[in-house]
Amino acid sequence: MSKQRRLFTSEAVSEGHPDKVCDQIADAILDEALRQDKNSHVACEVFATTEFILIGGEITTRGKIDYVGIARKVLRDIGYTDKSLGIGADSCRIECLVHTQSPDINQGVERGDILEQGAGDQGIMFGYATKESGGYMPLAISIAQKLVRLASKLRKEGKFPGARPDMKSQVTIDYTDPNHLSIDNVLMSVQHDPDVDLEQFKAFIHENIMLPVASSFGLNTDFAYLVNPTGRFVIGGPEGDTGLTGRKLIVDTYGGASRHGGGAFSGKDPSKVDRSASYYARYIAKNLVAAGAADRLEVQLSYAIGVAKPLSISLSTFHTAHYSDDAILEAIERFFDARPGAIIESFHLTEPSWKYQDTACYGHFGRPDLELPWEKLDKAEQIAQFLESRK
C-alpha cells in the first residue's frame, strides 16, 4: 500500500490587494494618531471599491488627523496613481465617518497606572512558533509572503515589466518526509497591463521570482507551478473586488498552521488585545521554541474587557515537547507578563520605532525586513536554563 502524501498550503497577498489597501490605510491612520497623541484610542475600519474609499470607526485623539490625505498617500505609495487602474490616489472619492470611542469601553481601559490597564475587549488570541524555518515560522506562509514581497519590490523598482499592484501567491509544502521538507507546487496570480506578452510575463515570474525565492530557503526548484491560471488578470485591486479591513487574518498570521482567535489587527491601537496580545503570544511561543521547550508550540491567551490579568493561558506542543507541560507553563508564568499595559510598555507599542503600516502587508510575524519587538529572542537563554533546572 502506497504511503499517503502529507501536504499543507498557505497563501499570501501583496500590498495592492484590495483588503490590504484597507489594512494599510487603517494602520497609517493609527500611526498618525499615535505620533500626535500616544494615548490615542483607535478602532478604524476601511472599505474600498472602484474609485471610492470609506473610512469609519471610533477614534479618540487629541491629534488633528487628515484622514483623506493619509488615504491618498497610501494609494499613491502602493502604485494606484491613475483611475485607469480602477482607483486613483488623486481622483477617487473618499468619505470619512469617524466618531469617538464609547465611554463605557474607555472606563474599563483607563486606570491611571498603565500596568493595571484593562483589556479593551474580551477575546482569545493565539501565538505560534516552529523550528521548520530560520524565522520560527511555518514554511508555506514564509515562502508565500516572500514571493509577493519580492514581486512588489521588483514592480516598484521598474524591474517587473507590465506588473500592476494586485498580486496573490500560494505555496504547498510536502511534509511526507519530516526530515526533508520540499515544495510541491507554487501558484502566483499577478495583475498586469492589458498589452503584456503573457508568455514572457509568466516566464519572468517563474525565473525571477519563484526560483530565487525557493533557492533562498534552500529548497527544491523542481516544483510544479502555475501563473495566472485564468489567462488574463488586468482588472484587479479595488475595482476587481471590494476591500475591507481585517479580511486577511490567516495571511496576517501563520497561514493556517495555527489556530486564530478571530480578531483583526490593522486599525487597532495596542489597548485592543486582538492586536497586542496576539503579538505577545507570538513572543512567548517563539522564545519557548528557541529555548528548546518544543519543536512546535502554540500559546493561547484569553481576556475579559476591563480586566488586566489574562483569564487563561494554555499551550499545545503537538507531541514535540522536550519538557513537561507543567514546566513550560511555569516558565511562561515566571518570564512573561501578559497584562495589556505590561505588553504595551515592554514593546513600546504607543511610541514605536517602527510603523504599524509596515505590518499591514506581508505578515505581522517572522519579518526579516523589520525589527519588531515581539520577534526578539531575549528570553530564550533564561528559559532554557530554567527548564533544565526543572527536569
Side-chain angles (χ1 to χ4, degrees):
M1 185 175 179
S2 62
K3 187 176 182 180
Q4 293 294 315
R5 297 173 70 206
R6 294 181 57 240
L7 305 175
F8 186 82
T9 303
S10 295
E11 69 161 349
V13 299
S14 72
E15 62 206 65
H17 186 280
D19 294 332
K20 281 294 149 199
V21 169
C22 295
D23 285 342
Q24 289 169 89
I25 292 172
D27 270 344
I29 289 168
L30 170 64
D31 284 328
E32 182 60 17
L34 291 176
R35 187 188 70 81
Q36 295 189 41
D37 175 11
K38 71 174 187 175
N39 295 313
S40 297
H41 288 291
V42 178
C44 182
E45 306 292 346
V46 180
F47 167 88
T49 188
T50 307
E51 280 287 86
F52 179 70
I53 298 287
L54 174 64
I55 302 169
E58 300 81 43
I59 299 178
T60 302
T61 180
R62 290 176 295 182
K64 302 297 182 183
I65 312 300
D66 178 7
Y67 297 103
V68 172
I70 289 170
R72 294 198 190 283
K73 184 179 187 306
V74 170
L75 289 169
R76 193 176 299 111
D77 289 345
I78 292 170
Y80 287 121
T81 54
D82 191 273
K83 62 182 179 181
S84 65
L85 299 172
I87 191 166
D90 299 307
S91 60
C92 70
R93 182 165 65 93
I94 300 177
E95 198 168 327
C96 188
L97 301 173
V98 172
H99 56 89
T100 58
Q101 185 183 57
S102 164
D104 293 344
I105 296 175
N106 196 55
Q107 70 178 350
V109 174
E110 298 292 350
R111 295 283 177 79
D113 181 357
I114 189 172
L115 294 179
E116 296 307 315
Q117 176 175 308
D121 201 353
Q122 71 175 52
I124 56 174
M125 297 83 209
F126 291 92
Y128 180 79
T130 173
K131 290 180 71 176
E132 70 186 60
S133 74
Y136 295 89
M137 286 289 287
L139 269 174
I141 187 65
S142 297
I143 298 170
Q145 295 283 20
K146 190 168 184 179
L147 287 168
V148 286
R149 195 168 71 239
L150 174 59
S152 295
K153 178 176 181 289
L154 294 174
R155 174 184 63 82
K156 288 186 166 184
E157 291 174 348
K159 298 176 182 178
F160 189 176
R164 288 184 171 185
D166 193 359
M167 309 176 185
K168 298 180 79 169
S169 65
Q170 188 169 283
V171 175
T172 299
I173 299 295
D174 189 337
Y175 286 88
T176 307
D177 182 351
N179 296 314
H180 296 91
L181 305 186
S182 62
I183 303 174
D184 182 76
N185 65 78
V186 176
L187 162 65
M188 289 194 76
S189 294
V190 179
Q191 185 188 16
H192 57 79
D193 292 338
D195 58 350
V196 299
D197 183 310
L198 290 177
E199 291 308 311
Q200 289 183 7
F201 191 73
K202 291 180 179 182
F204 180 94
I205 291 169
H206 179 238
E207 295 167 9
N208 296 280
I209 298 170
M210 290 181 175
L211 294 181
V213 168
S215 297
S216 74
F217 284 85
L219 293 170
N220 59 300
T221 56
D222 60 349
F223 48 81
Y225 69 94
L226 288 168
V227 177
N228 290 15
T230 62
R232 280 169 60 87
F233 182 16
V234 175
I235 299 173
E239 182 182 24
D241 193 6
T242 55
L244 287 170
T245 42
R247 278 208 305 199
K248 288 292 175 282
L249 307 184
I250 301 305
V251 169
D252 284 342
T253 52
Y254 309 101
S258 170
R259 290 173 287 187
H260 196 293
F265 301 160
S266 291
K268 296 179 180 178
D269 75 81
S271 72
K272 279 72 172 175
V273 283
D274 281 339
R275 183 169 215 154
S276 54
S278 293
Y279 291 170
Y280 204 70
R282 160 67 174 173
Y283 178 62
I284 295 172
K286 186 176 181 181
N287 275 271
L288 287 170
V289 171
D295 296 338
R296 291 174 59 207
L297 192 145
E298 179 187 78
V299 174
Q300 184 203 54
L301 304 174
S302 75
Y303 292 85
I305 187 169
V307 179
K309 188 175 180 181
L311 297 182
S312 67
I313 302 175
S314 66
L315 65 91
S316 299
T317 55
F318 311 99
H319 307 290
T320 69
H322 303 292
Y323 300 90
S324 70
D325 283 2
D326 285 344
I328 298 171
L329 285 167
E330 192 178 347
I332 293 174
E333 184 177 349
R334 182 182 183 93
F335 292 104
F336 299 97
D337 186 347
R339 291 177 295 171
I343 297 171
I344 290 169
E345 276 206 332
S346 63
F347 290 162
H348 306 289
L349 293 180
T350 57
E351 297 177 282
S353 58
W354 36 273
K355 291 182 178 180
Y356 283 100
Q357 185 186 344
D358 290 337
T359 67
C361 51
Y362 310 123
H364 293 249
F365 307 119
R367 293 291 300 271
D369 55 322
L370 299 176
E371 290 188 14
L372 301 172
W374 52 89
E375 293 295 315
K376 291 181 179 178
L377 293 174
D378 52 353
K379 294 185 182 291
E381 187 174 340
Q382 289 176 285
I383 293 169
Q385 294 172 357
F386 174 81
L387 289 173
E388 278 298 298
S389 74
R390 289 300 184 272
K391 268 191 170 180

